[in-house]
Amino acid sequence: MSNGNPYQDDRGNKDRSITNPAGQGSQMPRSKSGKVTAAPGGPFLIGEAMTGGYGKGPDILHDCTIAVDRGEIAVIVGPNGAGKSTAMKAVFGMLDVRSGRVLLDGEDITALTPQDRVVKGMGFVPQTSNIFTSMTVEENLEMGAFIRSDDFRDTMAQVYDLFPILKEKRYQAAGELSGGQRQQVAVGRALMTKPKVLMLDEPTAGVSPIVMDELFDRIIEVARTGIPILMVEQNARQALEIADKGYVLVQGRNAFTDTGKALMADPEVRKSFLGG
Amino acid sequence: MNEMVKNTGLFALVALLIVITGVMQSWNTALLILNMGLISAIMALGVNLQWGFAGLFNVGVMGFVALGGLAAVLVSMPPTQGAWAAGGFGVIAGLVMGAVTIVLAVLAYSRMPKGNMRVLVMLVILIGGFFLYRSVFDPAVEAIEAINPASSGNIGGLGLPVLMAWPVGGLLAAGAAWIIGKTALGLRSDYLAIATLGIAEIIIAVLKNEDWLARGVKNVVGLPRPVPLEVDLQRDPEFVERAASFGMDAVTASTIYVKLEYAALFTVVLVILLWMAQKALKSPWGRMMRAIRDNEVAAEAMGKDVTRRHLQIFVLGSAICGIAGAMMTTLDGQLTPGTYQPLRFTFLVWVMVIVGGSGNNFGAVLGGLLIWLLWVQVEPIGLWLMSTLTSGMSDGALKSHLMDSAAHMRLFTMGLILLLVLRFSPRGLIPEK
Amino acid sequence: MDLLNAIITLTNFVIVPAIAYGSQLALGALGVTLIYGILRFSNFAHGDTMAFGTMVTILFTWLFQSWGISLGVFPTALLALPFGIAGCALFVLLTDRAVYRFYREQKAKPVILVIVSMGVMFIMNGVVRFIIGPDDHAFGDGERFIISARTFRALTGLEEGLAIRTSTGITVITAVIVVALLFWFLNKTRTGKSMRAYSDNEDLALLSGINPEKVVMVTWIIVAALATVAGTLYGLDKSFKAFTYFQLLLPIFASAIVGGLGSPVGAIAGGFVIAFSEVTITYAWKKVLVYALPDGMGPDGLVQLLSTDYKFAVSFIILLVVLLFRPTGLFKGKSV
């Protein structure tokens, strides 16, 4: 540890009486955003030929392309460690993309920070710690709408329509909810900005199969409201079933790209990723 | 090699500063600074062991230093006539009963099934034990404190050579550290910082208020010394003659001679401890400590008992602080519980460790010497600065206020030095390798 | 009658002082817990922040007094309090800009910030002593008592008197108002909620568009206000001395930890737990017991469990006991 940043060396101190381990931020870049340039044409959201990694670390993505168009659900699948989540984070700006670019709605947003991408209309639901556990469900949704200065009661009503259980538990601390309900809060929070595109990082991780089916139903419902969805999924089979477009990544590279159905039918994809 | 030159240069700089003090002010002042600097270096060594090697945050250095001081009194002072007969055994019996009460309560807690009955039994043991303890302890204390209260009124010591107090001070501090560490490190999460902060205040409170032990705020003065008294030297014709041959008068020569002897003693202790700390750092034990520090999860997975190791190093570091405390009281020749303040004895030591370089023993020693020198010298410098700044001002309330306040510059300066080092050289002057 | 006297004595010497002290500790602990929740470290400079804010308040009090402005029966310090808060907030924000912000940009580990706060502590300590000196200052004026022991005795005809000092009354009322305001702010306003969100989950707060620098700034201002109010109330109740304020750090930390670090409700509960245990354990119960027990059964000794010099020991032992049985404190943390 003594070679790294001296300010990050806490000598393994875990003294709870002087330092608070809870809720600390990760190494998310907090630098200023660069310029946005017009780039008309192409799909609604595309991460094009992205190559990059975390900080000064080695490249994890190699010439990887992910795209989603209006009214579509696009799914990224692949074996463990294939860089699925990394690819999504690259699209969201949480990764240093060394070559390639990210276009959203006719604009090149490669130089934007994640926060500014939210303002531009990207809704992102991280895989873990994706809710404010100590705050009520309603406060979670309010925080989702933090960047909005207009009246967001309509949006909240829509979210409650989409997830009726949340309305029931609106005054309950989000941390007290079940796993599936928490994920609904997380998605609901992201929807509060009225995003132009929704990105979900393994929304069904760690929930039971029944809850998983329900969550997929909800996601389809969200997609029906007209929001394109880009999703990373561990449960490749179910995900591809609902996907309009599927991306199979292997070691940070595009291995197969096709419609969900075609991928399901592709014998090679079936053999290597879907268990026959 | 370059590093070696730089580090030697830093130590040479401190030596030079001390020499300058000797030339500009007086050699007595310079030696006084050196002596306390050596003791500070030992304290810094102890804290560095805990923070630098193991990441343990000890903000109770003051308490361990004070325990060392207590050891100096208990070991070296002659026993008070009749104190043991009057109440010494009562006090011991009382303390034993107190300890037994706590042990019984803990036993009841761990052995009995959960429920109201357990709480009740524990309360009965604790409250009953407390009153029993007070009924034995209080009269004994009164009896001791009644003996010649103007000059003693305490239990006195064992009348042993004062040098023996140094290791005993270490042992006393180690014992206290073991109890603190056992409780604070044994909790589900680590609460060492607040525990040490609290214990230090309690130790000082005990020293201030338990008059039977070390006379409380009435202070114990006239501790036996490991070196000759100045007045004896001045009466020694041989010494006077030798001093004259150096062209010094006997009084100055005797004070300097005594301080030099102290400096020699302290240097020996510092060198031994430094050598041991270096050995420890490079031993498998030290490597393991650092492995735990840098990746506790991995170390734990490899079967290392992290809590036990932490307890070990915490006890060792505190013991070193205790030794330094005993040395300091020996140097002062008196124990004055009222002068133990956390800023001076806890946080200043932290400044020494951080400025010197946490994780590096030589850094800690350098920090101890350098910061102590600055701590002493900032005051005259501040006074000089203030008188220069205010020389153009007419005499008045503001000027006298500024002159009076110059003394508080040292706190400000220490903070500034700490912040500057943390900002621009966060690893300290001699970084960890 | 005797029982009534016992109750009055108890109220006069235990309950009233403990409530006042508890309120002061609670306000102090709230400041510590807010910093812990949002900046994620324990601020060793908190006692000195209290001292600094109180010092500014005292300076303004003296200024107003020299102008002949007073608040009648209330202490002039109340009028000076807003200026003290402003002065303290300014100083704290400057410190943040000059010192802490750099480490936030470096994403420094909280323990580094703890050490940094030690440096700030030294500096603030020096500044306060430099400006106002290390001595005691009593700065309360106005009416001393809401009800004095003599009036109470005359009023009720009881043997024992109940004295309520103006400073006690002001302490409790101010504390209630301040705490109510704080909770309203944290739970009902957008900025307050964003602070809680940031404390709960920094990454997600950033994703939601919450500006961390603004959260931190608001936090420092609130902490400065809390510290100044706590310090001024403590000073009115006892007196102002830089070193005493520095020493308050231990009971304040203890309160915050007993309550559960990071939890405002916990800080308040912790403050009162510590205050009540300190006062009851160091109080000589003889008088109360003589009244309460039947004639002749009264104790001979003082029935003081521990001498007042050991009040720190009490906070500490309460702290240990709570941690042994409830490692997260009375109220689980993480909900600033």
Side-chain angles (χ1 to χ4, degrees):
Chain A
M1 287 267 179
S2 49
N3 304 318
N5 182 344
Y7 300 114
Q8 251 127 54
D9 184 6
D10 62 2
R11 303 190 167 265
N13 181 285
K14 288 194 307 201
D15 201 322
R16 287 264 295 148
S17 63
I18 48 171
T19 56
N20 184 357
Q24 268 174 46
S26 58
Q27 296 293 315
M28 202 193 282
R30 226 195 252 171
S31 48
K32 292 268 182 312
S33 284
K35 270 221 183 88
V36 176
T37 50
F44 185 71
L45 170 69
I46 179 165
E48 209 172 35
M50 301 179 295
T51 299
Y54 291 102
K56 294 187 180 95
D59 285 351
I60 306 172
L61 291 182
H62 309 278
D63 201 20
C64 175
T65 297
I66 307 285
V68 61
D69 229 323
R70 285 196 178 80
E72 276 186 353
I73 298 180
V75 171
I76 308 173
V77 294
N80 276 331
K84 303 187 293 286
S85 290
T86 313
M88 177 172 275
K89 283 181 180 159
V91 173
F92 192 58
M94 290 166 85
L95 198 74
D96 293 312
V97 176
R98 287 169 200 130
S99 72
R101 53 183 195 160
V102 182
L103 308 181
L104 174 71
D105 202 7
E107 285 181 312
D108 185 336
I109 57 166
T110 318
L112 289 186
T113 59
Q115 289 94 300
D116 287 332
R117 290 180 204 220
V118 174
V119 178
K120 278 279 172 201
M122 291 173 96
F124 178 62
V125 180
Q127 184 182 348
T128 52
S129 328
N130 49 19
I131 54 168
F132 299 112
T133 48
S134 66
M135 303 177 86
T136 66
V137 171
E138 186 145 312
E139 284 172 335
N140 265 277
L141 298 185
E142 278 175 47
M143 286 301 110
F146 194 82
I147 50 170
R148 289 177 59 178
S149 49
D150 56 335
D151 190 358
F152 52 77
R153 269 176 297 186
D154 282 355
T155 320
M156 197 180 279
Q158 283 167 14
V159 170
Y160 282 146
D161 283 345
L162 212 52
F163 307 112
I165 188 75
L166 297 190
K167 187 167 191 177
E168 216 173 282
K169 311 220 164 189
R170 63 209 280 183
Y171 300 123
Q172 215 166 315
E176 294 168 5
L177 304 183
S178 71
Q181 291 165 352
R182 280 161 167 246
Q183 292 297 35
Q184 297 185 25
V185 175
V187 175
R189 190 203 62 83
L191 287 175
M192 287 302 291
T193 50
K194 283 212 230 165
K196 291 193 251 174
V197 57
L198 186 62
M199 307 204 297
L200 307 170
D201 192 354
E202 297 204 24
T204 63
V207 300
S208 68
I210 301 168
V211 177
M212 188 166 77
D213 287 345
E214 202 202 321
L215 272 175
F216 277 132
D217 287 348
R218 300 273 174 239
I219 289 165
I220 295 170
E221 266 182 64
V222 173
R224 281 203 192 116
T225 63
I227 304 174
I229 293 179
L230 178 62
M231 179 163 74
V232 169
E233 254 306 324
Q234 191 72 255
N235 304 295
R237 191 178 288 273
Q238 285 95 326
L240 287 177
E241 260 168 34
I242 64 164
D244 299 297
K245 203 183 275 169
Y247 294 91
V248 180
L249 297 194
V250 177
Q251 291 181 339
R253 286 187 173 81
N254 289 91
F256 304 93
T257 306
D258 211 326
T259 64
K261 287 208 177 60
L263 285 175
M264 293 278 282
D266 187 324
E268 199 163 337
V269 175
R270 287 180 73 99
K271 203 174 81 190
S272 36
F273 305 116
L274 303 175
Chain B
M1 205 56 214
N2 193 15
E3 208 174 306
M4 187 81 175
V5 173
K6 182 195 132 200
N7 296 349
T8 318
L10 283 168
F11 276 102
L13 178 76
V14 175
L16 183 71
L17 286 174
I18 292 177
V19 169
I20 290 176
T21 309
V23 175
M24 300 263 292
Q25 287 167 293
S26 76
W27 287 102
N28 252 317
T29 318
L31 284 175
L32 210 58
I33 292 176
L34 174 67
N35 282 340
M36 267 313 289
L38 289 169
I39 292 174
S40 302
I42 295 178
M43 291 180 195
L45 212 52
V47 173
N48 182 46
L49 208 57
Q50 296 169 341
W51 168 244
F53 286 21
L56 296 176
F57 209 90
N58 175 5
V59 273
V61 184
M62 171 180 75
F64 301 114
V65 170
L67 275 181
L70 176 66
V73 171
L74 291 183
V75 168
S76 70
M77 285 303 276
T80 304
Q81 280 290 307
W84 278 97
F89 299 102
V91 163
I92 302 260
L95 290 177
V96 168
M97 277 167 75
V100 167
T101 305
I102 292 172
V103 170
L104 276 180
V106 171
L107 274 181
Y109 179 77
S110 54
R111 293 286 163 82
M112 284 178 69
K114 236 181 176 154
N116 288 337
M117 195 59 198
R118 181 171 77 170
V119 177
L120 194 73
V121 169
M122 265 180 67
L123 279 179
V124 167
I125 293 177
L126 283 176
I127 295 172
F130 182 77
F131 281 101
L132 218 61
Y133 149 79
R134 288 287 295 259
S135 68
V136 175
F137 188 70
D138 287 1
V141 165
E142 254 171 63
I144 293 177
E145 288 176 2
I147 302 171
N148 196 7
S151 63
S152 57
N154 68 332
I155 188 92
L158 299 171
L160 297 169
V162 69
L163 283 184
M164 279 186 65
W166 298 2
V168 173
L171 282 179
L172 216 54
W178 186 81
I179 294 173
I180 302 168
K182 201 74 186 154
T183 23
L185 292 170
L187 293 170
R188 213 171 302 163
S189 345
D190 180 353
Y191 283 95
L192 192 67
I194 185 75
T196 50
L197 193 69
I199 282 289
E201 289 294 344
I202 292 178
I203 290 173
I204 300 302
V206 169
L207 283 192
K208 275 186 186 166
N209 297 297
E210 299 302 315
D211 287 9
W212 62 271
L213 190 61
R215 302 197 74 224
V217 284
K218 286 180 281 184
N219 303 340
V220 177
V221 292
L223 285 175
R225 310 195 333 167
V227 294
L229 279 169
E230 286 88 344
V231 276
D232 290 343
L233 286 176
Q234 287 156 27
R235 279 199 216 104
D236 181 357
E238 200 181 327
F239 182 82
V240 176
E241 199 177 309
R242 285 248 301 279
S245 71
F246 281 101
M248 291 163 99
D249 67 296
V251 176
T252 320
S254 66
T255 50
I256 288 179
Y257 175 77
V258 166
K259 289 194 178 69
L260 279 174
E261 268 195 21
Y262 270 123
L265 276 173
F266 294 162
T267 310
V268 169
V269 176
L270 176 64
V271 166
I272 293 174
L273 288 175
L274 183 62
W275 177 77
M276 280 164 60
Q278 278 301 93
K279 274 275 171 208
L281 183 68
K282 288 180 182 142
S283 70
W285 181 81
R287 276 198 297 276
M288 179 182 60
M289 285 318 300
R290 280 181 294 167
I292 290 176
R293 184 193 72 192
D294 292 341
N295 193 343
E296 190 172 317
V297 181
E300 215 154 30
M302 280 158 64
K304 309 287 183 210
D305 187 343
V306 173
T307 310
R308 218 179 118 87
R309 300 293 151 211
H310 276 170
L311 186 63
Q312 263 176 5
I313 205 153
F314 179 64
V315 168
L316 277 177
S318 304
I320 293 181
C321 292
I323 295 174
M327 290 163 65
M328 193 188 74
T329 304
T330 310
L331 176 67
D332 291 343
Q334 55 181 353
L335 180 70
T336 49
T339 54
Y340 286 94
Q341 295 197 352
L343 276 178
R344 154 73 183 89
F345 284 100
T346 296
F347 296 107
L348 191 66
V349 179
W350 267 91
V351 177
M352 292 167 182
V353 173
I354 303 291
V355 169
S358 16
N360 189 313
N361 291 320
F362 289 98
V365 172
L366 177 79
L369 290 166
L370 178 66
I371 292 296
W372 178 256
L373 180 96
L374 292 175
W375 174 257
V376 176
Q377 293 296 27
V378 161
E379 204 171 314
I381 294 172
L383 265 174
W384 172 80
L385 204 71
M386 275 298 156
S387 59
T388 323
L389 283 177
T390 56
S391 58
M393 284 161 72
S394 55
D395 285 347
L398 183 63
K399 182 168 178 176
S400 68
H401 177 83
L402 284 177
M403 291 303 291
D404 287 346
S405 308
H408 308 303
M409 293 275 284
R410 57 155 60 147
L411 292 171
F412 185 86
T413 316
M414 288 305 129
L416 198 64
I417 292 174
L418 178 62
L419 290 183
L420 287 176
V421 167
L422 270 176
R423 177 80 170 248
F424 298 107
S425 174
R427 291 183 211 281
L429 294 177
I430 307 184
E432 185 183 359
K433 281 188 200 102
Chain C
M1 210 51 160
D2 269 359
L3 192 63
L4 216 54
N5 271 321
I7 293 171
I8 295 300
T9 316
L10 186 69
T11 315
N12 193 27
F13 291 105
V14 176
I15 297 178
V16 171
I19 289 178
Y21 184 42
S23 311
Q24 292 148 9
L25 283 187
L27 290 177
L30 273 174
V32 167
T33 233
L34 277 178
I35 296 282
Y36 185 85
I38 290 179
L39 289 130
R40 300 174 214 283
F41 71 97
S42 287
N43 184 8
F44 273 88
H46 195 75
D48 294 296
T49 312
M50 281 169 67
F52 187 87
T54 314
M55 179 192 72
V56 180
T57 311
I58 293 176
L59 294 180
F60 273 98
T61 308
W62 287 345
L63 182 71
F64 291 151
Q65 282 169 343
S66 72
W67 286 349
I69 304 173
S70 83
L71 274 181
V73 294
F74 296 112
T76 317
L78 279 189
L79 200 64
L81 190 57
F83 298 92
I85 292 175
C88 188
L90 201 68
F91 189 87
V92 164
L93 285 178
L94 275 176
T95 315
D96 184 66
R97 174 59 59 92
V99 182
Y100 291 114
R101 199 172 68 164
F102 170 79
Y103 298 95
R104 274 202 301 285
E105 281 163 4
Q106 301 292 319
K107 291 245 167 210
K109 289 274 188 214
V111 77
I112 305 290
L113 286 169
V114 176
I115 302 175
V116 170
S117 82
M118 280 186 189
V120 174
M121 173 186 81
F122 268 106
I123 288 189
M124 286 188 117
N125 225 301
V127 168
V128 170
R129 285 173 208 219
F130 190 85
I131 295 176
I132 205 167
D135 306 323
D136 247 314
H137 296 282
F139 58 101
D141 52 5
E143 197 67 50
R144 248 177 76 72
F145 289 102
I146 295 176
I147 183 164
S148 73
R150 192 185 301 164
T151 328
F152 185 88
R153 276 195 291 263
L155 228 59
T156 56
L158 286 172
E159 249 174 86
E160 286 301 322
L162 173 64
I164 299 181
R165 288 162 55 204
T166 318
S167 60
T168 312
I170 290 176
T171 297
V172 174
I173 293 169
T174 316
V176 169
I177 294 174
V178 167
V179 167
L181 271 176
L182 179 70
F183 278 83
W184 169 81
F185 177 79
L186 287 178
N187 290 312
K188 296 289 174 210
T189 66
R190 202 171 99 99
T191 314
K193 283 179 194 171
S194 72
M195 279 170 62
R196 284 167 54 218
Y198 182 82
S199 159
D200 185 314
N201 187 336
E202 194 177 321
D203 280 344
L204 198 60
L206 287 178
L207 282 187
S208 306
I210 292 169
N211 178 359
E213 287 305 308
K214 190 185 165 196
V215 166
V216 168
M217 192 180 83
V218 174
T219 307
W220 278 121
I221 293 175
I222 295 175
V223 167
L226 285 169
T228 309
V229 172
T232 305
L233 293 177
Y234 185 86
L236 281 175
D237 205 21
K238 280 120 188 165
S239 72
F240 173 82
K241 192 181 179 196
F243 182 64
T244 319
Y245 278 60
F246 167 75
Q247 275 197 315
L248 278 178
L249 208 57
L250 178 63
I252 285 178
F253 272 6
S255 305
I257 295 176
V258 162
L261 268 164
S263 152
V265 188
I268 295 167
F272 283 101
V273 167
I274 295 288
F276 267 88
S277 25
E278 262 188 29
V279 176
T280 45
I281 292 180
T282 56
Y283 174 64
W285 287 85
K286 178 178 181 164
K287 213 166 171 187
V288 176
L289 289 178
V290 167
Y291 278 123
L293 296 172
D295 281 342
M297 294 257 300
D300 299 323
L302 284 172
V303 204
Q304 184 183 19
L305 293 179
L306 276 177
S307 102
T308 39
D309 306 297
Y310 288 122
K311 55 176 197 248
F312 286 132
V314 179
S315 356
F316 182 67
I317 287 164
I318 300 293
L319 175 80
L320 265 193
V321 170
V322 169
L323 288 184
L324 281 174
F325 293 99
R326 279 188 79 96
T328 47
L330 296 176
F331 293 82
K332 218 170 156 200
K334 204 188 173 186
S335 57
V336 163

